[in-house]
Amino acid sequence: MEVKKLSVSWWFWIVLFLTLQGLSALDFDPYRVLGVSRTASQTDIKKAYKKLAREWHPDKNKDPGAEDKFIQISKAYEILSNEEKRTNYDQYGDAGENQGYQKQQREYRFRHFHENFYFDESFFHFPFNSERRDSIDEKYLLHFSHYVNEVLPDSFRKPYLIKVTSDWCFSCVHIEPVWKEVVQELEGLGVGIGVVHAGYERRLAHHLGAHSTPSILGIINGKISFFHNAVVHENLRQFVESLLPGNLVEKVTNKNYVRFLSGWQQENKPHALLFGQTPAVPLLYKLTAFAYKDYVSFGYVYIGLRGVEEMTREYNINIYAPTMLIFKEHINKPADVIQARGLKKQVIEDFIAQNKYLLAARLTSQRLFHELCPVKRSHRQRKYCVVLLTAEANKPSKPFDAFLSFALANTQDTVRFVHVYSSRQQEFASTLLPDSEAFQGKSGVSILERRNTAGRVVFKTLDDPWTGSESDKFVLLGYLDQLRKDPAFLSSEAVLPDLTDELAPVFFLRWLYSVSDSLSDWWESLLHSNWREMMPLLSLIFSALFILFGTVIVQAFSDSNEERESQPPDKEEVPEKTGKTEPTFTKESSSKIPKKGFVEVTELTDVTYTSNLVRLRPGHMNVVLILSNSTKTSLLQKFALEVYTFTGSSSLHFSFLSLDKHREWLEYLLEFAQDAAPIPNQYDKHFMERDYTGYVLALNGHKKYFCLFKPLKTVDEEAVASCDPDSSRGKLPCGLGPKPLKGKLSKLSLWMERLLEGSLQRFYIPSWPELD
């Protein structure tokens, strides 16, 4: 009995321990420990971890539970910083090392459930279970961090073909045989392969823009392109080939091969020629050209083309096997040759990698300087650069030819020969060359060794300018021999400035390329986008267009109504009698306090005529005083006193018109006023003596009408008007004497009140005449 009690107690403690451990595992929530949400980004998670780690570090926090808390924080960050562990926790809720065990348990129970109901997937040939899937997908599975850190940077050297799949996807099962066949072929050619499981990598699938499965897309130079054709072997191969730029490989014939090979000086690259037996450029060769586009220019020669026999004889080409040649500074003789019946990817890449620099390459950028003249890492890995500083020339000069022949005869692993154009890299050249007059306009040679990436070098420059003579070669050879014996021979030290990128496109071309890429991306996304997701954007665009066109239509109808209202009535009706007036202004506007202590009156001339009348804004009027040169001062003073109280209205403008300059314009306008200016007889000799000074016109430029104020006649004016011209001989002619001005504008303020009320008679005109 005691043994049984002891065994029962042991079982009880074991079960209790396992239960508490399970509860503690369930209680552990990495999101709660770090204080972040389940949708938090990696940046937020890292910030939260750093903050909590500083707070709960056992060396800084003396709390007894600080160590346990710090362990939980570290464990939570370990889970959430790893996309795979975070996904497993979100799906299975387990943060420990037994995730796989729980997954296997669930899969076992799921399979047991199927067995109880006699369901077998193999009977229907639906390989949905992950254990029955082909292992080819598992080999290429991508995670978000792997995609960002490896695939995207590598897409600038080779294109990637990516498939987006998910569980319970019937179409995914249908295309799997074709996918497997294409992957086996393209991977051997150098194409990157990837598989994204949309169920486990939702973030990556959303980033790629794959909203349905299966989806196949290509990535090159960081740009994503979707495949939209039928999933067959030939279509997928053409899709990958279409991702590559069209100018990677130049078609070379017997007519242009000299020009192609002579481009080494301008492009500063070796040139590769492949002699093939097919009219189209092989995909393997295009992929190699894309991988080494920054180092080598590639050309392709179709052997079956007429006229190629001259090239094959000159370079001794075997027309029955593919042959690749590398040309450097000498176009008559290839620097290296490779020939094989089946050129493989690795063989071609090794061949290009060994010949991706010229014998005496020109330093055109800082990146090329780092590659050709690397920093010394140890005493056994010394790298020396022999630099020719020469003037720029269209054709190789004699000093350069001599330097090139010397480099060809003294090729070593520890010495690299380069040259620099002094005019393009002036700071670099002035640092290495002495300031003596002997080097002015001449070439010089320096031997240097880089000590660090900041530009520190040790160097030795030849004492005399480099002319390419045999004595110069002998001196340079002696310097190199001394350098092998004593590395301290390089006695001078300096800090070289960074080289300017000579081959970089100008700002306008870079901007043009970026704009064209953006337009092509926009057009691609517009053609093949998910219209369900585009609906909010399209709705916003159509709403804006509807509001815009609606506003235009309403404005058009309002303008037509205003024009209809502006037509003069058939019968002149005085608004006071009918009582139907259209007040444009109110008395409130007239009672506004004047904004200024003076009245701003401008002259109406041919310069201000359009802005002050013809194109006057709707609702605005211009009050114009008619005066002459002799009455200008007195009438303007009286006019300012009368209209001063109305200057507070922003819709009223005040001007004056010279009668001496623009009498014809005024008389044309007054012809539309009733009994204001009767049409004179052309034989009336007093027609030109008619006095209009003191008249005031309120002109509405938008609705094309005006209101007229006529000054009151005084007793003196009536006497002048009634005199007989024939009886006034020996005296001043009637109408030519000085006119009394007192009281001419005395009633103008009352007229302005009626103008603002809208009770004045309006005289409409068809159009405003020109002010000559």
Side-chain angles (χ1 to χ4, degrees):
M1 290 293 295
E2 294 180 358
V3 175
K4 290 183 179 180
K5 290 181 179 179
L6 185 61
S7 62
V8 170
S9 62
W10 272 108
W11 275 109
F12 172 76
W13 286 112
I14 291 174
V15 171
L16 180 63
F17 175 76
L18 294 176
T19 303
L20 292 176
Q21 187 179 13
L23 290 175
S24 64
L26 292 175
D27 185 60
F28 178 76
D29 185 2
Y31 293 102
R32 182 175 55 81
V33 172
L34 294 182
V36 296
S37 63
R38 289 185 173 270
T39 60
S41 62
Q42 290 294 332
T43 304
D44 298 336
I45 293 172
K46 191 173 183 179
K47 288 181 180 179
Y49 167 71
K50 287 184 177 180
K51 181 180 178 181
L52 294 174
R54 286 194 298 265
E55 180 182 355
W56 291 97
H57 198 280
D59 295 340
K60 297 182 180 180
N61 196 326
K62 303 304 180 183
D63 191 283
E67 185 175 358
D68 295 337
K69 182 69 174 178
F70 184 76
I71 292 174
Q72 289 186 356
I73 293 171
S74 301
K75 184 178 179 181
Y77 180 69
E78 180 184 358
I79 294 171
L80 298 184
S81 62
N82 189 305
E83 291 292 338
E84 185 176 1
K85 292 183 179 180
R86 183 179 179 180
T87 302
N88 289 335
Y89 177 79
D90 293 340
Q91 293 179 350
Y92 306 116
D94 189 9
E97 288 78 10
N98 55 345
Q99 294 172 346
Y101 173 75
Q102 290 191 358
K103 182 179 178 181
Q104 291 176 2
Q105 289 289 345
R106 279 189 289 271
E107 289 179 354
Y108 170 76
R109 290 194 292 268
F110 187 71
R111 288 197 302 269
H112 185 65
F113 171 81
H114 280 284
E115 290 173 1
N116 290 339
F117 284 91
Y118 305 101
F119 179 81
D120 190 3
E121 294 173 353
S122 62
F123 177 78
F124 297 97
H125 301 285
F126 291 160
F128 295 120
N129 194 293
S130 60
E131 292 184 356
R132 299 180 183 179
R133 284 278 183 92
D134 200 325
S135 60
I136 187 172
D137 284 355
E138 298 178 1
K139 178 182 176 182
Y140 304 106
L141 282 176
L142 296 179
H143 304 289
F144 187 81
S145 58
H146 178 227
Y147 169 80
V148 173
N149 298 326
E150 297 184 20
V151 174
L152 272 184
D154 201 32
S155 67
F156 289 87
R157 294 191 68 254
K158 65 179 180 180
Y160 272 81
L161 188 66
I162 296 178
K163 179 183 73 171
V164 182
T165 184
S166 64
D167 291 333
W168 304 99
C169 174
F170 291 90
S171 300
C172 300
V173 179
H174 180 70
I175 68 172
E176 195 164 332
V178 180
W179 173 259
K180 185 189 301 184
E181 181 183 355
V182 171
V183 165
Q184 291 177 354
E185 177 189 358
L186 296 182
E187 188 180 19
L189 298 178
V191 179
I193 305 297
V195 176
V196 177
H197 196 291
Y200 301 114
E201 288 292 336
R202 296 180 181 177
R203 182 182 178 187
L204 179 55
H206 181 72
H207 176 78
L208 295 175
H211 306 290
S212 61
T213 56
S215 294
I216 297 178
L217 53 96
I219 301 176
I220 189 169
N221 291 330
K223 178 184 175 182
I224 301 173
S225 301
F226 278 85
F227 175 75
H228 300 285
N229 295 328
V231 183
V232 295
H233 182 276
E234 189 61 29
N235 289 347
L236 287 173
R237 182 185 174 91
Q238 292 178 359
F239 171 68
V240 172
E241 195 165 356
S242 67
L243 295 175
L244 299 170
N247 57 349
L248 282 175
V249 181
E250 183 176 351
K251 293 290 187 68
V252 179
T253 63
N254 61 326
K255 297 180 180 179
N256 64 346
Y257 79 97
V258 176
R259 177 192 57 79
F260 173 75
L261 298 178
S262 300
W264 66 268
Q265 186 177 8
Q266 182 179 1
E267 300 175 8
N268 196 36
K269 297 177 183 179
H271 284 62
L273 269 184
L274 175 65
F275 290 80
Q277 299 174 342
T278 58
V281 181
L283 180 58
L284 173 61
Y285 193 58
K286 287 185 177 181
L287 293 171
T288 306
F290 179 74
Y292 292 93
K293 60 182 180 298
D294 296 332
Y295 300 96
V296 181
S297 295
F298 292 84
Y300 180 74
V301 181
Y302 172 45
I303 297 177
L305 193 64
R306 181 180 301 177
V308 180
E309 296 83 2
E310 179 183 349
M311 298 174 59
T312 57
R313 286 195 304 268
E314 181 177 357
Y315 299 120
N316 194 21
I317 302 299
N318 182 6
I319 62 174
Y320 299 103
T323 306
M324 184 178 294
L325 309 179
I326 286 288
F327 293 86
K328 295 185 178 181
E329 285 87 350
H330 299 95
I331 65 173
N332 297 325
K333 182 181 179 181
D336 204 351
V337 180
I338 183 175
Q339 189 176 37
R341 289 194 176 275
L343 287 177
K344 301 297 182 181
K345 168 181 171 293
Q346 192 62 41
V347 176
I348 296 179
E349 287 189 352
D350 294 342
F351 178 72
I352 297 296
Q354 294 174 2
N355 298 279
K356 65 178 184 178
Y357 299 113
L358 296 172
L359 291 176
R362 177 162 57 95
L363 297 180
T364 56
S365 63
Q366 191 68 17
R367 178 185 62 84
L368 189 59
F369 186 41
H370 289 326
E371 294 177 359
L372 292 175
C373 304
V375 178
K376 183 191 74 171
R377 297 181 180 178
S378 64
H379 293 287
R380 296 182 178 180
Q381 296 181 349
R382 290 181 179 272
K383 296 288 185 181
Y384 301 104
C385 268
V386 182
V387 184
L388 172 66
L389 303 166
T390 183
E392 183 176 0
N394 296 330
K395 296 182 179 181
S397 59
K398 180 181 177 181
F400 178 78
D401 290 338
F403 184 78
L404 183 60
S405 63
F406 183 87
L408 185 61
N410 296 273
T411 54
Q412 300 176 12
D413 294 338
T414 58
V415 179
R416 176 77 70 177
F417 294 88
V418 296
H419 71 283
V420 174
Y421 284 158
S422 302
S423 59
R424 297 195 180 187
Q425 310 290 346
Q426 296 180 1
E427 296 183 6
F428 185 91
S430 61
T431 306
L432 297 178
L433 290 178
D435 296 333
S436 62
E437 297 180 357
F439 286 90
Q440 294 295 331
K442 297 183 180 180
S443 303
V445 174
S446 296
I447 305 173
L448 62 85
E449 179 186 13
R450 298 182 63 202
R451 292 299 175 89
N452 57 28
T453 57
R456 180 173 171 267
V457 297
V458 290
F459 68 96
K460 179 71 174 179
T461 303
L462 271 65
D463 297 332
D464 299 325
W466 176 268
T467 60
S469 61
E470 294 298 328
S471 60
D472 291 342
K473 296 180 181 179
F474 182 77
V475 173
L476 180 57
L477 185 61
Y479 276 28
L480 293 177
D481 290 339
Q482 294 183 35
L483 187 60
R484 294 190 193 96
K485 299 175 183 178
D486 184 15
F489 176 71
L490 304 179
S491 56
S492 301
E493 186 174 347
V495 177
L496 292 177
D498 290 343
L499 294 169
T500 57
D501 194 351
E502 300 177 10
L503 302 179
V506 295
F507 172 77
F508 176 75
L509 290 179
R510 286 182 290 173
W511 176 82
L512 192 62
Y513 294 154
S514 61
V515 169
S516 63
D517 291 340
S518 302
L519 290 177
S520 62
D521 294 343
W522 176 81
W523 181 252
E524 180 74 15
S525 61
L526 184 65
L527 287 179
H528 306 291
S529 60
N530 190 346
W531 290 102
R532 185 174 299 174
E533 294 190 353
M534 291 286 290
M535 284 304 296
L537 179 61
L538 295 176
S539 176
L540 179 62
I541 293 174
F542 281 112
S543 300
L545 293 176
F546 177 77
I547 294 173
L548 178 62
F549 283 109
T551 306
V552 172
I553 293 173
V554 170
Q555 184 67 25
F557 276 107
S558 64
D559 292 344
S560 63
N561 291 335
E562 289 179 356
E563 292 179 359
R564 192 180 301 112
E565 292 176 358
S566 65
Q567 296 296 331
D570 296 336
K571 296 182 179 180
E572 300 283 352
E573 295 183 0
V574 181
E576 293 179 350
K577 296 180 180 180
T578 59
K580 297 180 180 179
T581 60
E582 297 177 5
T584 308
F585 312 98
T586 61
K587 289 187 178 182
E588 295 178 359
S589 63
S590 64
S591 61
K592 290 182 180 179
I593 300 175
K595 299 179 181 179
K596 302 178 182 179
F598 59 92
V599 180
E600 184 176 356
V601 183
T602 60
E603 183 178 1
L604 196 63
T605 63
D606 54 349
V607 178
T608 62
Y609 183 69
T610 301
S611 59
N612 288 354
L613 177 60
V614 178
R615 295 184 179 178
L616 202 62
R617 287 179 293 176
H620 288 236
M621 296 190 74
N622 195 351
V623 181
V624 182
L625 170 66
I626 309 299
L627 49 78
S628 60
N629 292 335
S630 59
T631 61
K632 181 176 181 180
T633 303
S634 55
L635 283 181
L636 277 178
Q637 292 178 355
K638 183 64 176 176
F639 181 73
L641 292 175
E642 292 291 331
V643 302
Y644 175 72
T645 56
F646 303 94
T647 57
S649 176
S650 60
S651 58
L652 288 179
H653 309 273
F654 301 95
S655 304
F656 68 90
L657 182 74
S658 176
L659 186 62
D660 301 328
K661 298 179 182 178
H662 308 292
R663 173 180 287 271
E664 293 183 5
W665 180 86
L666 177 63
E667 291 180 345
Y668 171 80
L669 209 65
L670 294 179
E671 290 180 3
F672 295 91
Q674 290 181 350
D675 300 328
I679 300 176
N681 188 355
Q682 60 179 345
Y683 300 105
D684 187 359
K685 61 181 178 180
H686 302 291
F687 167 62
M688 298 301 297
E689 300 175 0
R690 191 177 302 276
D691 185 18
Y692 296 113
T693 57
Y695 278 53
V696 178
L697 303 175
L699 308 173
N700 191 318
H702 179 66
K703 292 190 176 182
K704 298 182 181 64
Y705 71 82
F706 65 93
C707 300
L708 178 63
F709 170 81
K710 292 190 294 183
L712 297 175
K713 290 186 178 182
T714 61
V715 177
D716 296 335
E717 289 176 306
E718 292 178 355
V720 171
S722 60
C723 71
D724 187 5
D726 297 332
S727 62
S728 59
R729 295 176 180 175
K731 301 179 182 179
L732 290 173
C734 294
L736 298 178
K739 302 296 188 295
L741 302 175
K742 185 178 180 180
K744 270 198 169 187
L745 302 177
S746 58
K747 302 294 183 179
L748 182 60
S749 58
L750 298 177
W751 183 82
M752 291 291 297
E753 289 285 348
R754 293 186 60 191
L755 174 67
L756 296 178
E757 292 175 356
S759 58
L760 291 176
Q761 184 179 5
R762 300 178 181 179
F763 304 102
Y764 289 89
I765 63 172
S767 63
W768 294 110
E770 294 184 359
L771 189 66
D772 297 330

